[in-house]
Every structure is written in structure tokens, then in C-alpha cells.
Amino acid sequence: MTIEFISEEQREALQEVANIGMGQAGASIAKVLGEFVELSVPQISAVGAAGIPAALAALAGDGIASAVRQAFIGELRGEAIVIFAEHSADDLAALLAYGDALDGPASRELLLDISNVLVGACLGGIAELLRTTIGFSAPSLLADQVASSQLLRADGISARCALLVEVRFGIEKRVFRCHLVMLMPDDAVAALRRALDRFVEEL
Amino acid sequence: MDTAADPGDSCALLASLVERLDVGIFAVDRSGTVALWNSFMAIHSGKSSTDMLGQNLFAMFPELPRPWLEKKLESVFVLGNNAFTLWDLRPYLFRFANNRPITGGLAEMRQNVTFLPLRLSGGEVSLVCGTLFDYTDTAIAQDKLHDAIAALHREKDAQAQLIAKLETAQNQLLQSEKMASIGQLAAGVAHEINNPVGFVNSNLQTLKKYCQQMLQLITVYQGAETHIADVELRREISALTQAMDVDFVQEDLPELIKESEDGLVRIKKIVADLKDFSHVDQTDWQYADLNAGLDATLNVVWNEVKYKATVAKNYGVLPPVECLAAQLNQVFMNLIINAVQALDESKGMGTITLSTGHQDDWVWVEVQDNGLGMSEETRKRLFEPFFTTKPVGKGTGLGMSVSYNIVQKHHGRIEVDSVPGEGTRFRVWVPVKQALTVD
Ligand SMILES: Nc1ncnc2c1ncn2[C@@H]1O[C@H](COP(=O)(O)OP(=O)(O)OP(=O)(O)O)[C@@H](O)[C@H]1O
Ligand SMILES: [Mg+2]
């Protein structure tokens, strides 16, 4: 699907905001985790509601994955979803000062904690560049160790389509891998367009 | 009333609000020193704000998960975003007694805590404020809900199992009712045939005696023929003798009677087999000769077998076996019919081998065919009610499941050996005596 709801110029601006935002986010995440985090160049796309589960599954790849969702609220509004491959998040337990024995609740809490840090840093960074403030809901578990095609059910999605910004995270010499996907419903994209226009004008 | 609030007043208002809110509110700086401690926190922790202010949080609460919480606070200071703990993953941060000392439920207050960054002098986050919500009631309600759902699931599973059992039981009941009524019908017919066969037999015996006497008499008369003087009479006798072919009649008559006798013996045997097979008179456990049962069963289904297979018998000496004989015969019948139906007709007559044997406290009865054999899939599903590979009308798929249950009732077992393209061997094992336990 082509990105109909933002202009080419707005798309470029969003790409730039995302690039800068991720750079800053990487630095602050490293401060929290005490390790350098590799972030991919953000990918921007638009998908229809029915395509969202498949898009998430494609990111997660084959196999088992878990996902955490977190809402962001304010002028910019939507949900961020963080997808973890299998148990790769357990790898970060020590960095967030979890004990050695990770039981079920602890490893789920770890997923929420990591998501909260990543989402807060990345989306907070973007919001700041766009000179707007956003708040975050508490994160909650969307899917816990399920087949990647089962992360999200299409019939639960209320938006018609969504703008999707995707970033990959990894840490050198660690198995930890995850994807952060920022999803904005079609009816919230108008606010994003205004914010992007503002950003372009101020350049 | 003056609505323009005095700034001093509004500060006091806020302070009193924070103090009184029914939510735990506290704040720490980057070193963990407590800067705010409202009355909710004081009441539940037993440590007043005077005790707490200026003290290190972790020194005052050594039971806190220090490294983890420090990391969490640090992330709020660094990122300037909220952080959270949720009761369902981490039941509580502070070990507070719950507010149900009487009605009970959970020992500690369940808590959701949100950590908020506070920027007092502009840019940097200088304090992190914790807001602590009591989720005990929610947790108790959720526990109850979980229990209720689990109980529902258990009940649903149990019901599904019960329904499945009922279905099989009903099918088997239908099948065994069918078998029982076939047995009754057979026994009834056998009984009805018995009476005429009885008097035909006794009449035939008398007839046989009379015939012998008559033939004797005729022989004597024939010897006396030459002594007859009347030529006319002699010619008449000779013409009749020739016309009637009396020589042949004399020869044939005993044979006809002999054949009729044989026929009657066979009728009697069939009647006896039918009775034996159905055992309508004996539905209780009894000691029976399984070789005889197998023979009786073979006779009953002989018509199905004789054009398709030759039957080889290989019987061992068996002790009387405590069993429900009619039901075991049903098992043998199912096995024999299955064997016949499995034969490859394109190869001409098949062979069915019936063997029996005795080992320790067990006897076995074996039905072997050189038919098409079974695939792995069929072998696995063989005993399932309604599993059949036969065309509609030919098989209902109940034979083996009913057989299985009958053998089970005898505390026995059925062994299957099958090679696709070569044939199948079923061996039924039953104990000679049933243990005293009644089920
Ligand atoms: N001797 C055998 N050789 C090959 N296949 C067999 C043999 N006995 C049973 N089977 C397979 O097992 C299936 C189930 O047998 P079962 O006696 O329970 O049912 P059925 O013979 O199909 O029908 P029913 O006995 O009710 O008339 C058969 O359809 C057949 O595929
Ligand atoms: Mg059968």
C-alpha cells in the first residue's frame, strides 16, 4: 500500500524526525541499560487494518514471539507495539537488575520494563523534535510466547488503516532482538501532518 | 466569594490534597532521599513523614528490591518518562498489610505504582514521584474470576468427556441390542424347527423300518414268482416289475432314506449351533468350551465363508473358560466376517486359519487371513466406533469396537498383527478364570 495519507514532503520530514529521534533515543537507552544499543533506520509504511497482524508477523519472523503494547496520548495519538523474538529479552535481565531466576511473572515484567524504556525514549524523542508532548499509558502484554502469526488478531483492530514506523533493536554480542512499531490510526494522522508541516516550516 | 486564588492558599490547597488523597504519594531525589511522604504512605507503612523526610528510602525499607528499583528510578531520571509496576506481575512494592484483617483474602496489599518524573527547576528531572494505588480488591475479584473460569473449564471438559462416553455407550448398546435380538430370533427359529424335525425324524425311523420290511417281503414274493401257475397273472407281474423298474426302486429306496437321515442330522446340527451361538438361555458367566464356540460360530456364518475361503483349523486343547459365551462368539463372528471381507477376490479363494491355544492361566483364539492387510492409519483407528473403510451398507464400523468392549469385560486383550498386502492376524486373549472382583 502506498502512503496516501501523508504527502511525500511530510513523509521525508517524518523520516528525518524519526532518524534524529532514534539517534537521541539510542544514546539515552544506552545510559539506562549501560550498553550500546544498535537501532536500524526507521521504516515508514501504511497498512490497512487487515494487514497489520501480517505486518507484525513478518517483522517477528517464523517462530515464537511476545508482544507488548503501550498507548501514547496527546496531540499525537496511537499505540506502540514492541515485538520480542522468543526468550531473547531474558538476555537483558541483568541489565535491568533482575535476579538470576526469572520466573514467569518476572520475565513478563521484564518485557514490560524494556518496552517502557524503548517506547518512552523513541516516541518521546520524536515528540520533542515535533515540539509536542505525549504521555504514555502503562504497558501491557499483548501476547506471551505465541506463534508470530498470532500476535494480533485482525478482528480486534478498530482503525481502518494505520501509519507504521518500525525500528529494530539489537545489542552487540547479545541474542536480544526486538522491533518497535509505532502505529497511528488514520484519524490521528491529521495531527501528525500538522506537526510535520510545523517542523518543515521551522527548519 | 473571591475566585482569584491567593497563590499561598492554592499551594496550601495542593499540599493538603497530596496529603489527603487516598493514594500513596512519595518522592525521592536521585540519591534516593525521600522528599515527599503523604499520609496514605504513613498510615500503611507505620512510618510518619517526619520519620521519612530526608532519609534514604532503601535504608528505611531494607526489604525493597533495591537494585531493580534503583534501575527503574534511574530510567525515569534519564528518560523523563513514566515507569510502572503492575500488581499482577509484581504483587506489591511496599509490604503493606491489606485492609481486610477480618474478612481475609490476600495477606499483602496489591499495588500498582506509577513513577512520574518531576522537573521542579525547568529541564532536568530532579525528583521522581511514586503514586501507589491499592489494587487488593481487584486482585481478589480477579482471583475469584480465575477460579470460576478454571472451574467452568474443568466442568466443560468433564461434560465433553461424559458426552463422548455416552455416545459410545449408546452405540454399543444399539449394536449389542441388535446382536441380542438376532440371537433371540435365531434361537426362536431353532426352537420352532426343532418340533417338526423331531416328528419327521421319528416318522422317518418308522418309515425306514417299514421299508426294510416291505423290501424283505417283496424279495420273498419275487422268489415265489415261478410257483405261480396262472400265466396271465405272471405276465402282468412281469410287466409291472419292468414298468416300475422295481430293481432300481429296491436299490434306491434305502439310499433315499439314508440321505434324508443325513439331512435331518444336519438340520439338527444347525439348530444346535444356532442355540449354542446365541446362548439365549444362558446370559450369565459360565464355563464354556471355546473350540466348540468357535465351531458353532463358523457354522452360523458358513454361508458367507464357503465360496470365498478355505478354512484351516488348528485347535489346541483348551480348559473350560469362564466367560459370557454368546458374547465371545460375537467377537469370533466379527473377526471371521472381517477376515472374509478383507480377502482379495482377484486372487481366488483365500485362506482363513482359526487357531486356539492355552498358556498358563490364559487361552487365546486366533483368526488369521491372507487378505489385504491394514494401513498404519487403519490399525490406529481400528477400535474406534464407526471407523470403517468399507462402503456404505457393508460396514458400520462397530464390529471391532464392540469386540474390544466384550474382551475388555473379560479382562482380556486383543492383539493385532497386520502386513499390508499379506494379511492380518487377530489374537484374542482371555483369562481362564475371572478374578473375584466384580465391576
Ligand atoms: N482382518 C482385517 N483385515 C483388514 N482390515 C481389517 C480387518 N479387520 C478389520 N479391518 C479394518 O478395520 C475396520 C473396522 O472394522 P470393524 O469390524 O470395526 O468395522 P467394519 O467391519 O467396517 O463394519 P462392521 O463390523 O460394523 O460391519 C474395517 O473397516 C477394516 O478397514
Ligand atoms: Mg466388522
Side-chain angles (χ1 to χ4, degrees):
Chain A
M1 191 184 254
T2 52
I3 302 171
E4 315 138 342
F5 31 55
I6 57 176
S7 70
E8 188 50 33
E9 193 187 18
Q10 285 161 340
R11 207 201 76 95
E12 272 166 23
L14 178 59
Q15 184 72 58
E16 189 173 338
V17 166
N19 291 353
I20 304 169
M22 292 313 132
Q24 294 172 347
S28 30
I29 294 167
K31 258 192 247 167
V32 175
L33 297 183
E35 283 203 31
F36 183 71
V37 184
E38 296 156 3
L39 290 92
S40 70
V41 174
Q43 302 289 321
I44 300 166
S45 57
V47 282
I52 296 176
L56 297 189
L59 292 178
D62 293 337
I64 301 296
S66 298
V68 174
R69 64 154 290 282
Q70 195 165 5
F72 51 95
I73 20 219
E75 191 188 358
L76 301 181
R77 185 172 73 76
E79 279 182 84
I81 296 179
V82 183
I83 302 164
F84 299 89
E86 209 136 351
H87 291 286
S88 77
D90 292 356
D91 198 24
L92 298 195
L95 300 186
L96 284 170
Y98 277 76
D100 289 333
L102 269 192
D103 57 3
S107 72
R108 289 196 286 277
E109 189 182 25
L110 175 61
L111 293 182
L112 298 188
D113 280 359
I114 298 170
S115 301
N116 193 50
V117 167
L118 300 185
V119 171
C122 295
L123 273 56
I126 290 177
E128 206 177 302
L129 287 168
L130 291 176
R131 298 206 194 296
T132 181
T133 42
I134 51 178
F136 299 98
S137 75
S140 54
L141 209 56
L142 192 62
D144 187 20
Q145 304 291 336
V146 299
S148 60
S149 55
Q150 305 294 310
L151 287 172
L152 189 61
R153 289 219 326 269
D155 51 12
I157 300 171
S158 48
R160 277 187 302 119
C161 47
L163 184 68
L164 194 144
V165 182
E166 179 256 327
V167 191
R168 245 166 319 152
F169 293 88
I171 296 180
E172 205 184 343
K173 297 206 191 84
R174 283 188 182 271
V175 296
F176 169 72
R177 291 282 172 282
C178 77
H179 293 265
L180 187 157
V181 185
M182 170 182 158
L183 290 146
M184 293 183 72
D186 43 352
D187 56 9
V189 171
L192 174 68
R193 279 202 301 259
R194 280 196 298 279
L196 288 170
D197 291 344
R198 240 177 13 235
F199 176 76
V200 173
E201 273 164 33
E202 283 171 18
L203 273 182
Chain B
M1 200 188 265
D2 192 0
T3 45
D6 171 351
D9 273 2
S10 83
C11 264
L13 187 69
L14 281 179
S16 128
L17 186 68
V18 167
E19 178 65 12
R20 287 300 162 88
L21 267 182
D22 195 25
V23 170
I25 300 177
F26 62 97
V28 290
D29 67 11
R30 212 152 176 164
S31 69
T33 305
V34 177
L36 179 65
W37 194 256
N38 80 345
S39 74
F40 182 102
M41 294 302 291
I43 288 164
H44 286 283
S45 69
K47 292 182 169 66
S48 70
S49 64
T50 333
D51 297 337
M52 291 300 298
L53 294 182
Q55 301 295 319
N56 182 282
L57 179 68
F58 299 103
M60 297 300 283
F61 290 90
E63 74 272 19
L64 283 173
R66 182 166 185 167
W68 173 83
L69 186 53
E70 279 179 335
K71 198 81 209 172
K72 187 148 244 177
L73 293 171
E74 183 64 15
S75 79
V76 181
F77 280 112
V78 171
L79 299 175
N81 287 321
N82 293 358
F84 308 86
T85 77
L86 305 172
W87 69 267
D88 51 344
L89 297 178
R90 183 176 293 269
Y92 53 84
L93 193 59
F94 291 93
R95 184 188 292 277
F96 291 165
N98 81 357
N99 54 4
R100 294 168 168 250
I102 310 297
T103 57
L106 295 163
E108 293 91 7
M109 177 199 286
R110 294 297 185 261
Q111 301 159 5
N112 270 11
V113 183
T114 304
F115 297 96
L116 316 159
L118 297 184
R119 296 179 168 88
L120 291 185
S121 44
E124 290 296 291
V125 178
S126 49
L127 291 176
V128 169
C129 171
T131 52
L132 182 153
F133 297 85
D134 181 354
Y135 268 74
T136 312
D137 286 351
T138 311
I140 290 173
Q142 185 146 324
D143 277 356
K144 281 189 187 150
L145 212 64
H146 272 304
D147 288 352
I149 289 173
L152 275 174
H153 271 296
R154 275 196 304 277
E155 253 172 57
K156 208 181 111 203
D157 289 350
Q159 269 180 7
Q161 273 179 359
L162 217 64
I163 289 172
K165 268 194 202 159
L166 263 172
E167 266 172 20
T168 14
Q170 198 199 10
N171 294 334
Q172 277 151 7
L173 205 69
L174 277 176
Q175 174 77 358
S176 54
E177 253 175 27
K178 194 175 93 192
M179 290 308 299
S181 46
I182 289 175
Q184 257 162 6
L185 192 72
V189 170
H191 185 75
E192 288 303 312
I193 291 175
N194 236 355
N195 280 332
V197 165
F199 66 72
V200 167
N201 191 40
S202 84
N203 289 356
L204 189 67
Q205 293 312 314
T206 317
L207 199 63
K208 184 176 163 187
K209 205 171 83 197
Y210 290 170
C211 277
Q212 279 165 349
Q213 289 169 348
M214 297 293 269
L215 286 174
Q216 246 177 340
L217 189 64
I218 288 171
T219 317
V220 174
Y221 273 127
Q222 278 174 333
E225 205 183 304
T226 46
H227 300 287
I228 296 176
D230 184 343
V231 177
E232 192 57 23
L233 185 58
R234 286 227 314 261
R235 216 183 34 242
E236 205 178 319
I237 289 173
S238 159
L240 261 179
T241 310
Q242 261 172 8
M244 284 168 62
D245 201 353
V246 169
D247 287 350
F248 177 76
V249 170
Q250 276 173 314
E251 237 172 74
D252 201 28
L253 203 58
E255 250 169 62
L256 287 179
I257 288 176
K258 177 84 183 62
E259 263 175 40
S260 301
E261 270 180 333
D262 286 351
L264 276 177
V265 168
R266 268 163 65 187
I267 293 177
K268 276 200 260 178
K269 173 127 183 47
I270 292 171
V271 167
D273 281 340
L274 274 176
K275 277 187 154 174
D276 248 19
F277 170 75
S278 54
H279 281 279
V280 269
D281 35 347
Q282 300 146 307
T283 48
D284 286 343
W285 290 87
Q286 54 189 298
Y287 282 91
D289 175 2
L290 295 195
N291 285 338
L294 193 57
D295 274 338
T297 306
L298 181 63
N299 284 335
V300 168
V301 296
W302 184 237
N303 218 19
E304 303 290 314
V305 182
K306 62 181 172 193
Y307 301 115
K308 294 177 182 149
T310 49
V311 176
K313 291 185 189 175
N314 200 355
Y315 292 180
V317 178
L318 301 185
V321 173
E322 190 182 0
C323 65
L324 299 164
Q327 298 202 356
L328 280 190
N329 288 347
Q330 255 188 59
V331 174
F332 304 151
M333 183 170 86
N334 283 329
L335 294 181
I336 295 172
I337 296 280
N338 279 352
V340 171
Q341 290 176 342
L343 293 173
D344 186 350
E345 286 181 35
S346 67
K347 290 187 181 156
M349 290 287 271
T351 306
I352 291 172
T353 311
L354 304 179
S355 318
T356 62
H358 178 203
Q359 206 178 81
D360 303 326
D361 296 332
W362 292 76
V363 296
W364 51 265
V365 173
E366 199 179 274
V367 178
Q368 183 174 9
D369 64 68
N370 61 350
L372 296 166
M374 278 180 261
S375 68
E376 182 61 26
E377 157 83 359
T378 301
R379 237 192 55 65
K380 272 190 202 141
R381 304 188 52 196
L382 183 64
F383 296 107
E384 265 177 39
F386 294 117
F387 173 76
T388 181
T389 58
K390 294 168 190 171
V392 182
K394 196 160 186 197
T396 50
L398 282 172
M400 289 311 298
S401 90
V402 169
S403 300
Y404 176 87
N405 281 287
I406 292 174
V407 173
Q408 195 78 351
K409 218 189 300 179
H410 286 79
H411 305 100
R413 61 178 193 277
I414 302 179
E415 289 172 356
V416 192
D417 228 336
S418 185
V419 180
E422 289 186 20
T424 305
R425 196 187 56 165
F426 282 100
R427 185 180 272 208
V428 177
W429 288 86
V430 283
V432 173
K433 274 192 177 53
Q434 295 296 316
L436 284 174
T437 53
V438 180
D439 44 5

